[in-house]
Amino acid sequence: MAWLIATARNCALDRLRRRRTLAAKLPLLEEQRVEMIELDDSAFPDERLELLFTCCHPALATEAQVALTLRAVGGLSTEEIAEAFIVSEETMKRRLSRARVKIRQAGIPFEVPAAENLPDRLSAVLAVVYLIYNEGYAGRVDLATEALRIGRLLESLMPDEAEVHALLALMLIQNSRSGARYAGGELVLLAEQDRSSWNAGELREGREELGRAVALMGGNVEGVYLLQASIAAIQAEQPIDWGRIAHLYSELLALTGSPVVALNRAVAFAEAGEPAKALELVERLPLEGYRYLHSTRAELLRRLQRTDEAADAYRAALSLASSDPERRFLQRRLSEI
Amino acid sequence: MKYALLVYSLPGSHEELPESERNAVYGEYMALGGDPRCTESAQLQPTETATAIRVKDGQRLITDGPFAETKEVFGGYYVFDVANLDEAIAVAERVPAARLGGSVEVRPLVEAPS
């Protein structure tokens, strides 16, 4: 998705952009050189941005972009990345190798994209970072922490980009609550979380980043990550303004057309006191195989006291549940009605 | 670096355009071929004119039509000599087929060592 970039920012970015021959820079992506980037970041400050954009080039498959970014920018070992995404080390080695070959053979340039391509290319980088934040499983390395590190690096290299600050804000605010998400191995919903276990420092930093993002957007709340970060910030307040959240989800839906966003918007309407409207919205969504559709339907039907239908929906959600805490939570709900 | 731009079109997508628009589109194809970075290009006649040849167990098999029936049809190609993939992509996205339901495959040529 494109957004307007002020010409002043174009100039700053042109200064950053350097054209280099691929052959000279390819070593940065080879196995041996990665260690050097990690140990002595100050020697190659600008090249980390080129590296990020190269690793996240759309000509590479998404999973390759993620793996390369973690390897070349994050400095993780192939073994650590394989463990985080639950694949064998061989598989990950091949994935990285294929990506490097593609970069070399297909002539993917080692540079920060030109201004006219920057919006789309930056979107790709932000998507990879957020994917790393969300999709990695716990291993020896906490991928959420890696994503935050890369997010902070990106912020230092592109301080004039609103969505860069917004993504960092989103991850920080979400991360501030991660300690409260489980209690004794059991899933805890937002409304019931122990707020004292939220990381106040991360929440504060997240709010500051959000403020910077809004200022860079000229005071407007626009952009995929800025909208999500704003929603996350409101959820950290007491009481939660669900009406405003529903409105922000509407804007996000207009930008993305995502049925998952539509689902979250319906939840916001329910929390704002309109469960019937929410259910009506949910019934229209093409998300049959998505477990949260069923758990949301179940919750809404429960609130509307249509208990038989709610039970069916909880069973459907259970059949799609992907973790034990989730299963136990749904079982409890099912037995309560 | 030399890149092949392989043009795949959705059948009928060009023919169904109103005449003035169709002519403008053909003009675009020609202009791309005239780009100084373009080293060669060719438009292929429609798939109805195609013949497929295979040799199996020493036997020559000749059949009517393209080698495979696909939704998108290979219609022509350009070879562009540009600095890198991003420049090749910038050319490829201007090929009309890409916005008329088809696609352009961009692949580097195997170049003889100099």
Side-chain angles (χ1 to χ4, degrees), chain B residues 8-29:
Chain B
Y8 291 87
S9 299
L10 204 57
S13 60
H14 292 58
E15 295 75 357
E16 70 194 18
L17 294 172
E19 193 184 335
S20 59
E21 218 183 307
R22 205 187 324 138
N23 288 336
V25 161
Y26 291 152
E28 285 183 63
Y29 280 109

PDB file of all heavy atoms in Angstrom, chain B residues 8-29:
ATOM      1  N   TYR B   8       3.265 -13.468 -20.731  1.00  0.00           N
ATOM      2  CA  TYR B   8       2.124 -14.390 -20.722  1.00  0.00           C
ATOM      3  C   TYR B   8       0.842 -13.569 -20.707  1.00  0.00           C
ATOM      4  O   TYR B   8       0.685 -12.686 -19.861  1.00  0.00           O
ATOM      5  CB  TYR B   8       2.170 -15.303 -19.485  1.00  0.00           C
ATOM      6  CG  TYR B   8       3.304 -16.300 -19.517  1.00  0.00           C
ATOM      7  CD1 TYR B   8       4.569 -15.960 -19.039  1.00  0.00           C
ATOM      8  CD2 TYR B   8       3.112 -17.572 -20.035  1.00  0.00           C
ATOM      9  CE1 TYR B   8       5.608 -16.867 -19.074  1.00  0.00           C
ATOM     10  CE2 TYR B   8       4.151 -18.492 -20.077  1.00  0.00           C
ATOM     11  CZ  TYR B   8       5.401 -18.129 -19.590  1.00  0.00           C
ATOM     12  OH  TYR B   8       6.435 -19.040 -19.641  1.00  0.00           O
ATOM     13  N   SER B   9      -0.053 -13.878 -21.627  1.00  0.00           N
ATOM     14  CA  SER B   9      -1.301 -13.106 -21.704  1.00  0.00           C
ATOM     15  C   SER B   9      -2.509 -13.960 -21.407  1.00  0.00           C
ATOM     16  O   SER B   9      -2.499 -15.166 -21.652  1.00  0.00           O
ATOM     17  CB  SER B   9      -1.498 -12.549 -23.110  1.00  0.00           C
ATOM     18  OG  SER B   9      -0.458 -11.692 -23.443  1.00  0.00           O
ATOM     19  N   LEU B  10      -3.540 -13.284 -20.911  1.00  0.00           N
ATOM     20  CA  LEU B  10      -4.819 -13.958 -20.725  1.00  0.00           C
ATOM     21  C   LEU B  10      -5.498 -13.948 -22.095  1.00  0.00           C
ATOM     22  O   LEU B  10      -5.647 -12.886 -22.696  1.00  0.00           O
ATOM     23  CB  LEU B  10      -5.643 -13.153 -19.721  1.00  0.00           C
ATOM     24  CG  LEU B  10      -6.726 -13.880 -18.938  1.00  0.00           C
ATOM     25  CD1 LEU B  10      -6.143 -15.048 -18.167  1.00  0.00           C
ATOM     26  CD2 LEU B  10      -7.391 -12.903 -17.974  1.00  0.00           C
ATOM     27  N   PRO B  11      -5.891 -15.117 -22.628  1.00  0.00           N
ATOM     28  CA  PRO B  11      -6.480 -15.150 -23.970  1.00  0.00           C
ATOM     29  C   PRO B  11      -7.652 -14.199 -24.115  1.00  0.00           C
ATOM     30  O   PRO B  11      -8.515 -14.135 -23.231  1.00  0.00           O
ATOM     31  CB  PRO B  11      -6.941 -16.603 -24.118  1.00  0.00           C
ATOM     32  CG  PRO B  11      -6.109 -17.370 -23.163  1.00  0.00           C
ATOM     33  CD  PRO B  11      -5.824 -16.443 -22.018  1.00  0.00           C
ATOM     34  N   GLY B  12      -7.646 -13.435 -25.193  1.00  0.00           N
ATOM     35  CA  GLY B  12      -8.755 -12.527 -25.446  1.00  0.00           C
ATOM     36  C   GLY B  12      -8.628 -11.185 -24.777  1.00  0.00           C
ATOM     37  O   GLY B  12      -9.344 -10.236 -25.097  1.00  0.00           O
ATOM     38  N   SER B  13      -7.683 -11.073 -23.835  1.00  0.00           N
ATOM     39  CA  SER B  13      -7.615  -9.843 -23.033  1.00  0.00           C
ATOM     40  C   SER B  13      -7.255  -8.628 -23.885  1.00  0.00           C
ATOM     41  O   SER B  13      -7.691  -7.515 -23.606  1.00  0.00           O
ATOM     42  CB  SER B  13      -6.598 -10.009 -21.897  1.00  0.00           C
ATOM     43  OG  SER B  13      -5.313 -10.289 -22.420  1.00  0.00           O
ATOM     44  N   HIS B  14      -6.457  -8.834 -24.922  1.00  0.00           N
ATOM     45  CA  HIS B  14      -6.070  -7.704 -25.766  1.00  0.00           C
ATOM     46  C   HIS B  14      -7.139  -7.457 -26.828  1.00  0.00           C
ATOM     47  O   HIS B  14      -7.504  -6.325 -27.116  1.00  0.00           O
ATOM     48  CB  HIS B  14      -4.727  -7.975 -26.443  1.00  0.00           C
ATOM     49  CG  HIS B  14      -3.578  -8.004 -25.480  1.00  0.00           C
ATOM     50  ND1 HIS B  14      -3.506  -8.860 -24.415  1.00  0.00           N
ATOM     51  CD2 HIS B  14      -2.456  -7.250 -25.415  1.00  0.00           C
ATOM     52  CE1 HIS B  14      -2.389  -8.646 -23.740  1.00  0.00           C
ATOM     53  NE2 HIS B  14      -1.733  -7.671 -24.325  1.00  0.00           N
ATOM     54  N   GLU B  15      -7.647  -8.569 -27.390  1.00  0.00           N
ATOM     55  CA  GLU B  15      -8.628  -8.469 -28.483  1.00  0.00           C
ATOM     56  C   GLU B  15      -9.909  -7.796 -28.033  1.00  0.00           C
ATOM     57  O   GLU B  15     -10.559  -7.107 -28.807  1.00  0.00           O
ATOM     58  CB  GLU B  15      -8.948  -9.866 -29.028  1.00  0.00           C
ATOM     59  CG  GLU B  15      -7.764 -10.576 -29.705  1.00  0.00           C
ATOM     60  CD  GLU B  15      -6.722 -11.120 -28.727  1.00  0.00           C
ATOM     61  OE1 GLU B  15      -6.872 -10.909 -27.499  1.00  0.00           O
ATOM     62  OE2 GLU B  15      -5.753 -11.755 -29.178  1.00  0.00           O
ATOM     63  N   GLU B  16     -10.283  -7.993 -26.774  1.00  0.00           N
ATOM     64  CA  GLU B  16     -11.564  -7.446 -26.322  1.00  0.00           C
ATOM     65  C   GLU B  16     -11.504  -5.953 -25.990  1.00  0.00           C
ATOM     66  O   GLU B  16     -12.524  -5.344 -25.663  1.00  0.00           O
ATOM     67  CB  GLU B  16     -12.078  -8.233 -25.101  1.00  0.00           C
ATOM     68  CG  GLU B  16     -11.293  -8.013 -23.833  1.00  0.00           C
ATOM     69  CD  GLU B  16     -11.607  -9.039 -22.742  1.00  0.00           C
ATOM     70  OE1 GLU B  16     -12.170 -10.105 -23.053  1.00  0.00           O
ATOM     71  OE2 GLU B  16     -11.273  -8.767 -21.580  1.00  0.00           O
ATOM     72  N   LEU B  17     -10.330  -5.352 -26.085  1.00  0.00           N
ATOM     73  CA  LEU B  17     -10.220  -3.919 -25.823  1.00  0.00           C
ATOM     74  C   LEU B  17     -10.831  -3.134 -26.987  1.00  0.00           C
ATOM     75  O   LEU B  17     -10.765  -3.573 -28.127  1.00  0.00           O
ATOM     76  CB  LEU B  17      -8.752  -3.513 -25.673  1.00  0.00           C
ATOM     77  CG  LEU B  17      -7.971  -4.056 -24.477  1.00  0.00           C
ATOM     78  CD1 LEU B  17      -6.494  -3.703 -24.629  1.00  0.00           C
ATOM     79  CD2 LEU B  17      -8.511  -3.469 -23.179  1.00  0.00           C
ATOM     80  N   PRO B  18     -11.432  -1.949 -26.682  1.00  0.00           N
ATOM     81  CA  PRO B  18     -11.901  -1.093 -27.782  1.00  0.00           C
ATOM     82  C   PRO B  18     -10.722  -0.699 -28.673  1.00  0.00           C
ATOM     83  O   PRO B  18      -9.587  -0.584 -28.200  1.00  0.00           O
ATOM     84  CB  PRO B  18     -12.485   0.134 -27.061  1.00  0.00           C
ATOM     85  CG  PRO B  18     -12.064   0.024 -25.643  1.00  0.00           C
ATOM     86  CD  PRO B  18     -11.705  -1.383 -25.352  1.00  0.00           C
ATOM     87  N   GLU B  19     -10.994  -0.493 -29.970  1.00  0.00           N
ATOM     88  CA  GLU B  19      -9.922  -0.345 -30.960  1.00  0.00           C
ATOM     89  C   GLU B  19      -8.851   0.674 -30.594  1.00  0.00           C
ATOM     90  O   GLU B  19      -7.649   0.402 -30.705  1.00  0.00           O
ATOM     91  CB  GLU B  19     -10.515   0.007 -32.321  1.00  0.00           C
ATOM     92  CG  GLU B  19      -9.474  -0.136 -33.448  1.00  0.00           C
ATOM     93  CD  GLU B  19     -10.021   0.307 -34.796  1.00  0.00           C
ATOM     94  OE1 GLU B  19     -11.262   0.259 -34.952  1.00  0.00           O
ATOM     95  OE2 GLU B  19      -9.222   0.694 -35.655  1.00  0.00           O
ATOM     96  N   SER B  20      -9.263   1.853 -30.135  1.00  0.00           N
ATOM     97  CA  SER B  20      -8.277   2.900 -29.854  1.00  0.00           C
ATOM     98  C   SER B  20      -7.356   2.478 -28.717  1.00  0.00           C
ATOM     99  O   SER B  20      -6.147   2.697 -28.751  1.00  0.00           O
ATOM    100  CB  SER B  20      -8.972   4.216 -29.522  1.00  0.00           C
ATOM    101  OG  SER B  20      -9.808   4.028 -28.393  1.00  0.00           O
ATOM    102  N   GLU B  21      -7.948   1.817 -27.693  1.00  0.00           N
ATOM    103  CA  GLU B  21      -7.146   1.368 -26.557  1.00  0.00           C
ATOM    104  C   GLU B  21      -6.208   0.244 -26.989  1.00  0.00           C
ATOM    105  O   GLU B  21      -5.042   0.200 -26.594  1.00  0.00           O
ATOM    106  CB  GLU B  21      -8.075   0.870 -25.446  1.00  0.00           C
ATOM    107  CG  GLU B  21      -7.602   1.224 -24.049  1.00  0.00           C
ATOM    108  CD  GLU B  21      -8.505   0.643 -22.963  1.00  0.00           C
ATOM    109  OE1 GLU B  21      -9.734   0.881 -23.034  1.00  0.00           O
ATOM    110  OE2 GLU B  21      -7.983  -0.062 -22.080  1.00  0.00           O
ATOM    111  N   ARG B  22      -6.732  -0.641 -27.843  1.00  0.00           N
ATOM    112  CA  ARG B  22      -5.929  -1.763 -28.330  1.00  0.00           C
ATOM    113  C   ARG B  22      -4.712  -1.257 -29.089  1.00  0.00           C
ATOM    114  O   ARG B  22      -3.600  -1.719 -28.912  1.00  0.00           O
ATOM    115  CB  ARG B  22      -6.778  -2.663 -29.231  1.00  0.00           C
ATOM    116  CG  ARG B  22      -6.290  -4.099 -29.297  1.00  0.00           C
ATOM    117  CD  ARG B  22      -7.050  -4.913 -30.316  1.00  0.00           C
ATOM    118  NE  ARG B  22      -8.461  -4.555 -30.407  1.00  0.00           N
ATOM    119  CZ  ARG B  22      -9.139  -4.431 -31.547  1.00  0.00           C
ATOM    120  NH1 ARG B  22      -8.544  -4.632 -32.696  1.00  0.00           N
ATOM    121  NH2 ARG B  22     -10.426  -4.095 -31.536  1.00  0.00           N
ATOM    122  N   ASN B  23      -4.940  -0.256 -29.945  1.00  0.00           N
ATOM    123  CA  ASN B  23      -3.830   0.321 -30.715  1.00  0.00           C
ATOM    124  C   ASN B  23      -2.801   0.956 -29.803  1.00  0.00           C
ATOM    125  O   ASN B  23      -1.593   0.824 -30.031  1.00  0.00           O
ATOM    126  CB  ASN B  23      -4.352   1.355 -31.728  1.00  0.00           C
ATOM    127  CG  ASN B  23      -5.089   0.675 -32.876  1.00  0.00           C
ATOM    128  OD1 ASN B  23      -4.836  -0.506 -33.159  1.00  0.00           O
ATOM    129  ND2 ASN B  23      -5.981   1.401 -33.519  1.00  0.00           N
ATOM    130  N   ALA B  24      -3.287   1.634 -28.760  1.00  0.00           N
ATOM    131  CA  ALA B  24      -2.360   2.264 -27.810  1.00  0.00           C
ATOM    132  C   ALA B  24      -1.515   1.195 -27.125  1.00  0.00           C
ATOM    133  O   ALA B  24      -0.303   1.357 -26.948  1.00  0.00           O
ATOM    134  CB  ALA B  24      -3.132   3.076 -26.777  1.00  0.00           C
ATOM    135  N   VAL B  25      -2.159   0.094 -26.771  1.00  0.00           N
ATOM    136  CA  VAL B  25      -1.457  -1.009 -26.098  1.00  0.00           C
ATOM    137  C   VAL B  25      -0.388  -1.596 -27.020  1.00  0.00           C
ATOM    138  O   VAL B  25       0.751  -1.819 -26.611  1.00  0.00           O
ATOM    139  CB  VAL B  25      -2.465  -2.093 -25.639  1.00  0.00           C
ATOM    140  CG1 VAL B  25      -1.772  -3.415 -25.379  1.00  0.00           C
ATOM    141  CG2 VAL B  25      -3.190  -1.630 -24.384  1.00  0.00           C
ATOM    142  N   TYR B  26      -0.735  -1.832 -28.291  1.00  0.00           N
ATOM    143  CA  TYR B  26       0.257  -2.360 -29.230  1.00  0.00           C
ATOM    144  C   TYR B  26       1.426  -1.395 -29.380  1.00  0.00           C
ATOM    145  O   TYR B  26       2.579  -1.792 -29.520  1.00  0.00           O
ATOM    146  CB  TYR B  26      -0.379  -2.672 -30.592  1.00  0.00           C
ATOM    147  CG  TYR B  26      -1.334  -3.845 -30.551  1.00  0.00           C
ATOM    148  CD1 TYR B  26      -2.410  -3.937 -31.445  1.00  0.00           C
ATOM    149  CD2 TYR B  26      -1.183  -4.865 -29.607  1.00  0.00           C
ATOM    150  CE1 TYR B  26      -3.301  -5.009 -31.407  1.00  0.00           C
ATOM    151  CE2 TYR B  26      -2.066  -5.934 -29.557  1.00  0.00           C
ATOM    152  CZ  TYR B  26      -3.124  -6.001 -30.455  1.00  0.00           C
ATOM    153  OH  TYR B  26      -3.996  -7.049 -30.406  1.00  0.00           O
ATOM    154  N   GLY B  27       1.094  -0.100 -29.330  1.00  0.00           N
ATOM    155  CA  GLY B  27       2.137   0.926 -29.378  1.00  0.00           C
ATOM    156  C   GLY B  27       3.097   0.791 -28.219  1.00  0.00           C
ATOM    157  O   GLY B  27       4.309   0.957 -28.361  1.00  0.00           O
ATOM    158  N   GLU B  28       2.538   0.471 -27.043  1.00  0.00           N
ATOM    159  CA  GLU B  28       3.398   0.281 -25.864  1.00  0.00           C
ATOM    160  C   GLU B  28       4.346  -0.892 -26.057  1.00  0.00           C
ATOM    161  O   GLU B  28       5.529  -0.824 -25.713  1.00  0.00           O
ATOM    162  CB  GLU B  28       2.544   0.025 -24.617  1.00  0.00           C
ATOM    163  CG  GLU B  28       1.860   1.263 -24.063  1.00  0.00           C
ATOM    164  CD  GLU B  28       1.088   0.940 -22.790  1.00  0.00           C
ATOM    165  OE1 GLU B  28       1.732   0.545 -21.798  1.00  0.00           O
ATOM    166  OE2 GLU B  28      -0.158   1.078 -22.802  1.00  0.00           O
ATOM    167  N   TYR B  29       3.822  -2.009 -26.593  1.00  0.00           N
ATOM    168  CA  TYR B  29       4.683  -3.167 -26.842  1.00  0.00           C
ATOM    169  C   TYR B  29       5.835  -2.785 -27.767  1.00  0.00           C
ATOM    170  O   TYR B  29       6.981  -3.160 -27.558  1.00  0.00           O
ATOM    171  CB  TYR B  29       3.884  -4.316 -27.469  1.00  0.00           C
ATOM    172  CG  TYR B  29       3.072  -5.126 -26.489  1.00  0.00           C
ATOM    173  CD1 TYR B  29       1.681  -5.048 -26.466  1.00  0.00           C
ATOM    174  CD2 TYR B  29       3.694  -5.984 -25.585  1.00  0.00           C
ATOM    175  CE1 TYR B  29       0.931  -5.798 -25.574  1.00  0.00           C
ATOM    176  CE2 TYR B  29       2.953  -6.741 -24.688  1.00  0.00           C
ATOM    177  CZ  TYR B  29       1.568  -6.641 -24.691  1.00  0.00           C
ATOM    178  OH  TYR B  29       0.836  -7.386 -23.807  1.00  0.00           O
TER     179      TYR B  29
END
